[in-house]
Each structure stands twice: as structure tokens, then as C-alpha cells.
């Protein structure tokens, strides 16, 4: 009789443990919100403003692994159309590769300029009109050797902000 009772208790314990282990299985409940990352780099002025931070460029990873790259210009002139260049190489030894070239109209206050939104690859413009598609996810972006340069206007060569990006920083 004692043997039968021990057998029943063992079967019940095994069943309870089996249910407990099955309900704790992590594969049944994956984390629905993947971790995202971000990194920022400073732009500084030139000449007498060389020590002054004039902007930041930030990389944000989205939950789908695409990225956004945003420039915030802290220094800009209201109603002036500034030229923004995102180039290969660091700013002391640039390459001819261009990731982005665009215009941004100044507002006299902090101005956010979206360089890339929801991208995982970009088309790199190279010398002589050649293009090359490259992967551009978070790890690719922070490993890229590049820099940003903001020029006062199309008619001026005055740089209002310059800074390295990614691995060149």
C-alpha cells in the first residue's frame, strides 16, 4: 500500500514539474521590444569658434534594426539656406565619397535636419558619378569613417560646423 501511495505522489509531482517547466519556456514568450541603441557626435565651429559645439549628429537604431541619422544645428542663421555635407573620411583627410548633400533653411534656433530615416542601406556617391550601395545599419554606421560639414550658404565658403562621425571620432 505504501508503495502504491509513493507511486501516485511521484506521478503527481512529475506532472506538476512538467507543467511548471513548460510554462517557463522562454521560446514561447520572446521579448516583443528589441533593444535599441543611439550614439551622438559633436560638430564644432571653425576659427575663433573651434572650441564651441555648433551641433550634434546622432544615430538612432529603430526596433526593426533600421536607423535614423539626425543632425541638430545649434548654430544657424535665420532664413539662410545652409549647405550640409555628409562625407567619407575624417575632416582632416576627407575622401570623395558622399553619403548625403542637402540644404537646410536656418531658423535662428536649434534646427533638426533628418539625414537618413528608416534606412538599412544607402547609396554612396563616389568620384566621376559612380555609385555604390553599402549596408548602413547601426553597427555599420558607427564603424563608418566619415564627417559632416555645414557651410553658411551656397554663396559662402564659411564653415559653421564640422565634426567627425563614426569610427573617425
Amino acid at each position: 500500500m505504501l508503495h502504491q501511495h509513493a507511486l501516485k505522489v511521484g506521478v503527481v509531482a512529475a506532472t506538476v514539474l512538467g507543467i511548471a517547466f513548460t510554462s517557463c519556456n522562454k521560446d514561447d514568450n520572446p521579448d516583443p521590444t528589441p533593444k535599441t541603441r543611439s550614439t551622438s557626435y559633436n560638430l564644432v565651429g571653425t576659427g575663433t569658434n573651434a572650441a564651441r559645439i555648433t551641433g550634434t549628429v546622432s544615430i538612432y537604431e529603430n526596433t526593426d534594426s533600421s536607423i535614423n541619422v539626425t543632425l541638430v544645428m545649434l548654430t544657424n542663421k535665420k532664413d539662410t539656406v545652409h549647405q550640409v555635407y555628409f562625407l567619407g573620411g575624417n575632416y582632416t583627410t576627407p575622401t570623395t565619397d558622399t553619403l548625403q548633400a542637402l540644404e537646410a533653411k536656418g531658423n535662428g534656433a536649434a534646427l533638426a535636419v533628418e539625414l537618413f530615416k528608416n534606412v538599412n542601406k544607402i547609396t554612396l556617391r563616389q568620384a566621376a558619378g559612380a555609385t555604390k550601395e553599402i549596408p548602413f545599419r547601426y553597427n555599420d554606421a558607427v564603424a563608418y569613417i566619415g564627417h559632416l560639414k555645414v557651410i553658411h550658404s551656397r554663396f559662402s565658403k564659411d564653415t559653421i560646423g564640422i565634426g567627425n562621425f563614426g569610427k573617425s571620432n
Side-chain angles (χ1 to χ4, degrees), residues 3-140:
H3 180 65
Q4 281 183 339
H5 184 63
L7 185 59
K8 286 180 187 175
V9 169
V11 169
V12 170
T15 303
V16 169
L17 285 173
I19 291 170
F21 283 124
T22 303
S23 66
C24 291
N25 186 350
K26 287 185 178 184
D27 293 338
D28 292 340
N29 190 17
D31 183 4
T33 54
K35 306 299 180 238
T36 57
R37 301 170 281 183
S38 66
T39 302
S40 294
Y41 307 100
N42 290 330
L43 273 67
V44 294
T46 57
T48 58
N49 289 327
R52 185 171 154 226
I53 295 174
T54 59
T56 60
V57 61
S58 301
I59 308 165
Y60 301 98
E61 181 180 41
N62 301 312
T63 56
D64 66 354
S65 296
S66 66
I67 63 167
N68 301 339
V69 180
T70 304
L71 166 66
V72 174
M73 295 170 47
L74 301 174
T75 301
N76 65 82
K77 185 167 172 127
K78 185 172 174 65
D79 298 326
T80 298
V81 179
H82 302 293
Q83 305 298 303
V84 179
Y85 299 100
F86 190 176
L87 306 165
N90 65 44
Y91 69 80
T92 58
T93 55
T95 68
T96 58
D97 296 345
T98 302
L99 285 78
Q100 189 67 276
L102 52 89
E103 295 180 335
K105 187 174 182 180
N107 63 4
L111 174 66
V113 179
E114 204 169 76
L115 299 172
F116 296 107
K117 182 174 175 91
N118 299 326
V119 300
N120 54 30
K121 58 185 171 184
I122 61 171
T123 301
L124 191 66
R125 293 178 299 236
Q126 299 176 309
T131 61
K132 176 182 175 185
E133 196 168 85
I134 62 170
F136 211 62
R137 294 187 184 271
Y138 184 82
N139 290 340
D140 303 313

Side-chain angles (χ1 to χ4, degrees), residues 46 82-83 149-161:
T46 57
H82 302 293
Q83 305 298 303
K149 187 174 188 176
V150 180
I151 306 294
H152 181 267
S153 72
R154 188 175 325 152
F155 309 107
S156 167
K157 298 208 184 286
D158 294 338
T159 301
I160 60 174

